Amino acid sequence: MSTVGVVTGAGRGMGLECARRVGTMVDTLLLVDLDGQAAQLAAEELSASEGATVEPFHLDVTDRAGLARLADRVAGLGDLRAVAHVAGISPTMADWRRIVEVDLVGTALLAEALRPLATAGTAFVYFSSMAPTIAGVVAEPALDAALDEPLHPELLDRIHTVLGAQAEHPGAAYVWAKYGVRRFAQREAIRLGPVGARACSVSPGIIDTPQGRQESEHNPSMEAMVRRTPLGRAGRAAEVAAAVAFALSDEASFLNGVDLLVDGGVCAATRLGEGQAR
């Protein structure tokens, strides 16, 4: 059978760089993006190089019907080999409800649609963030319980009940949604293991992408974190994509249920303190 890869948020930034890598691993690559034109342009760019047959796929990852179409297309093309779920939104892009719906609920909906197609050797990588790590978040049991059921019809109300007005802050919503994604990947690893499939998450640090630059314009602390990063710079999208490609590869066949922190060391520097780090 022909092998199939799926990359969401593939129109630009880290998604596009992940698509370059996944395209070398499969026979057919589906580029999923909410921006249909961006997906089309990315497909044209990647089709110009040797590798997989590339198809754009216009999709909102919170749309169950659209995700069903995606799953049908994958099944019609061959065996699902690799999924990099990069699509997501950050605090300046929406209100708290939409952030949770896209970043956490969308992740669970994508998994719900594609999980039945997983077989031995299938690998998924879900994008979290360094935000929960650098914030040192520790959730109380009631919040963990809510986040661990991302498809519960009252998820947003359950989160708000625990956090109160704090939940309505887009930055806080982003932190908790990405924390939920990390926990979701762990639970997916347990669900997928019996069929020989794997799931991990990746947590990028400050990465130089259009979306990252947009966030930096509204959040001066991001530049401070770049200065605090032991490597002394922001990351590049290709560097995150390299970590994702390894996690999806057969060389990582025993890597399962873990989070890959790709942050240049800023979380370590923050946790230890600059003085101790030196």
Side-chain angles (χ1 to χ4, degrees):
M1 284 285 286
S2 179
T3 56
V4 185
V6 176
V7 179
T8 69
R12 57 179 63 82
M14 289 185 284
L16 178 56
E17 292 304 320
C18 286
R20 292 187 202 281
R21 295 285 190 140
V22 176
T24 67
M25 303 166 60
V26 297
D27 299 309
T28 304
L29 177 63
L30 298 181
L31 304 185
V32 176
D33 206 288
L34 178 62
D35 185 337
Q37 183 178 14
Q40 179 64 47
L41 291 174
E44 292 171 4
E45 177 183 343
L46 296 183
S47 293
S49 60
E50 294 183 8
T53 299
V54 184
E55 294 185 11
F57 199 100
H58 181 208
L59 175 67
D60 180 335
V61 295
T62 65
D63 175 11
R64 262 199 169 102
L67 287 165
R69 287 191 295 103
L70 174 65
D72 286 345
R73 183 59 181 154
V74 171
L77 289 168
D79 290 335
L80 181 61
R81 170 62 186 81
V83 178
H85 179 43
V86 190
I89 55 178
S90 46
T92 63
M93 299 174 70
D95 68 9
W96 77 275
R97 290 178 176 273
R98 183 61 178 166
I99 288 169
V100 174
E101 287 170 350
V102 173
D103 290 356
L104 178 54
V105 179
T107 296
L109 288 171
L110 179 78
E112 178 186 62
L114 296 183
R115 188 187 302 124
L117 304 180
T119 60
T122 305
F124 295 77
V125 171
Y126 298 102
F127 266 55
S128 180
S129 167
M130 75 165 184
T133 302
I134 207 160
V137 300
V138 178
E140 57 183 278
L143 185 54
D144 276 345
L147 295 172
D148 285 346
E149 293 187 275
L151 298 183
H152 193 288
E154 297 178 0
L155 171 67
L156 295 172
D157 290 338
R158 295 175 75 190
I159 292 172
H160 198 279
T161 296
V162 177
L163 295 177
Q166 179 194 353
E168 299 172 16
H169 188 284
Y174 178 79
V175 167
W176 290 114
K178 291 300 189 180
Y179 170 82
V181 170
R182 196 177 298 176
R183 290 178 64 88
F184 181 82
Q186 294 171 349
R187 298 172 82 87
E188 276 296 283
I190 297 169
R191 282 187 279 258
L192 292 168
V195 301
R198 302 181 293 110
C200 296
S201 58
V202 64
S203 289
I206 306 296
I207 309 299
D208 184 19
T209 64
Q211 187 170 324
R213 290 191 287 274
Q214 175 180 322
E215 290 301 312
S216 185
E217 290 175 4
H218 294 84
N219 188 349
S221 67
M222 290 178 64
E223 184 56 40
M225 282 191 281
V226 172
R227 292 194 297 271
R228 196 172 212 182
T229 300
L231 292 179
R233 61 174 176 83
R236 295 184 288 271
E239 293 173 313
V240 178
V244 171
F246 171 70
L248 293 172
S249 73
D250 290 338
E251 291 183 327
S253 56
F254 206 56
L255 193 71
N256 198 25
V258 299
D259 183 71
L260 302 180
L261 181 61
V262 188
D263 73 334
V266 68
C267 287
T270 301
R271 183 171 59 251
L272 296 175
E274 291 179 330
Q276 285 181 273
R278 291 171 183 162

